[in-house]
Amino acid sequence: MTYVRSSDGTRIHYSKTGNPRGAPVLFIQGLGAGKAGWALQRLATAPWYQAIALDNRGAGRSDKPHGEYTLEQMADDAIAVLDHAGVETAHVVGASMGGAISQILAVKYPERTRSITLACTAGTNHPWREELLTSWKDNALAGGMGAMSTEAVRWVIGPRSFRRFLPAMGWLGPLALGRPSHAFANQVDAIINVDASFADDLENIQVPALVVVGNQDILTPRGDSEELAERIPTAELVVISGAAHGFMVEHATTFNRVLLEFLGRAEASWEARDVDTGAHLRSA
């Protein structure tokens, strides 16, 4: 197991898989979820890319400290992982809360990102979603993670896939029943209390950006992704038909195809930029 200490001493767990000679891809999961939620994507990208997947603080094998968490702090955790892994720049793929963390990474550390993929996520909070997440937090603190799982799963998986994927729900966000309630609650607070000014800086993102949403997502609906794609000048929007919030598992084949096609274009763009920069330096 590989760990790195973040700036405040929190241990962050991560792993590297795939092609060690390939371009790095950093995977960041959502609320309550560990890196296992990316298993199907890490497998799909393995022949061509080096996958680096971390457990956010409060999830998986990473530390679960008491006290305040912030999404900016989690973005700093991700940079600590890249530093420890010896990776200067990476394609960043984030889902849900991980997508919000990815936005902060692209704004705060533009020199570390080759591209960003924002899956089932949003750039701003809505009052109704804050109320929903607060109710999940309150239920978890009062009765444990199982107390809110039945309600939460219906916001994550589409109705057609509910029975089929219910046994795998430990991979997905709020249904990670083994997580301690305080860590889940701290992550909820981090989402709700995020610095809204980061959204104003999305227009400054210059690397390729992919925004993906399922047309049946009721937790982060299509309108959230459309707003993100409008704010980010380099963004392209993909809507997966029949998919809900958990399409990384529910519609993995479709999402993996879209992701691989985008990563191929983004990496070609990155390599071309390096060539152009080198030619400019030689001519200067």
Side-chain angles (χ1 to χ4, degrees):
M1 296 183 188
T2 306
Y3 292 89
V4 60
R5 293 276 181 184
S6 192
S7 59
D8 66 348
T10 301
R11 287 197 321 161
I12 305 298
H13 172 65
Y14 75 95
S15 66
K16 292 194 292 184
T17 56
N19 186 343
R21 298 183 184 85
V25 181
L26 177 66
F27 289 98
I28 308 176
Q29 258 296 344
L31 175 61
K35 69 182 191 303
W38 293 115
L40 299 177
Q41 286 67 52
R42 292 162 69 192
L43 181 63
T45 58
W48 304 280
Y49 298 97
Q50 177 185 178
I52 304 169
L54 73 147
D55 291 330
N56 292 314
R57 62 174 61 212
R61 293 191 175 98
S62 289
D63 285 350
K64 302 166 184 65
H66 290 271
E68 182 185 24
Y69 299 2
T70 69
L71 296 190
E72 185 176 358
Q73 188 179 47
M74 294 184 198
D76 293 343
D77 292 344
I79 291 297
V81 166
L82 291 183
D83 289 343
H84 191 262
V87 172
E88 182 177 352
T89 60
H91 300 283
V92 181
V93 182
S96 198
M97 182 186 75
I101 296 169
S102 299
Q103 294 169 51
I104 295 172
L105 270 175
V107 168
K108 188 177 179 181
Y109 301 102
E111 74 282 359
R112 306 299 296 269
T113 55
R114 299 189 185 195
S115 73
I116 56 171
T117 296
L118 308 176
C120 56
T121 193
T124 56
N125 285 327
H126 299 298
W128 67 264
R129 191 160 50 223
E130 291 183 358
E131 292 175 4
L132 176 68
L133 294 178
T134 299
S135 72
W136 290 359
K137 179 187 79 170
D138 291 344
N139 288 341
L141 290 174
M145 294 296 288
M148 40 69 71
S149 62
T150 302
E151 173 193 1
V153 67
R154 302 183 187 279
W155 289 83
V156 177
I157 293 295
R160 294 181 181 178
S161 303
F162 181 79
R163 292 181 181 177
R164 178 182 173 195
F165 286 102
L166 185 59
M169 287 304 98
W171 282 9
L172 297 175
L175 300 174
L177 301 181
R179 311 293 188 252
S181 297
H182 79 270
F184 177 80
N186 290 343
Q187 288 192 349
V188 169
D189 287 340
I191 295 170
I192 293 174
N193 297 324
V194 65
D195 183 354
S197 66
F198 279 108
D200 297 331
D201 293 325
L202 293 177
E203 63 183 21
N204 298 322
I205 293 176
Q206 298 180 4
V207 295
L210 173 66
V211 182
V212 190
V213 64
N215 71 344
Q216 293 186 5
D217 192 338
I218 58 175
L219 184 58
T220 51
R222 177 173 176 168
D224 287 323
S225 289
E226 290 176 341
E227 180 184 3
L228 274 176
E230 290 174 359
R231 283 175 174 263
I232 302 173
T234 58
E236 55 185 274
L237 175 66
V238 173
V239 181
I240 300 179
S241 180
H245 194 70
F247 59 71
M248 291 78 64
V249 174
E250 186 184 7
H251 287 259
T253 299
T254 301
F255 174 59
N256 291 347
R257 174 180 54 80
V258 171
L259 177 62
L260 283 169
E261 290 174 356
F262 171 74
L263 288 175
R265 296 192 301 272
E267 180 60 18
S269 174
W270 179 263
E271 291 176 351
R273 189 178 78 165
D274 279 354
V275 170
D276 290 343
T277 300
H280 174 73
L281 291 175
R282 287 192 296 273
S283 63

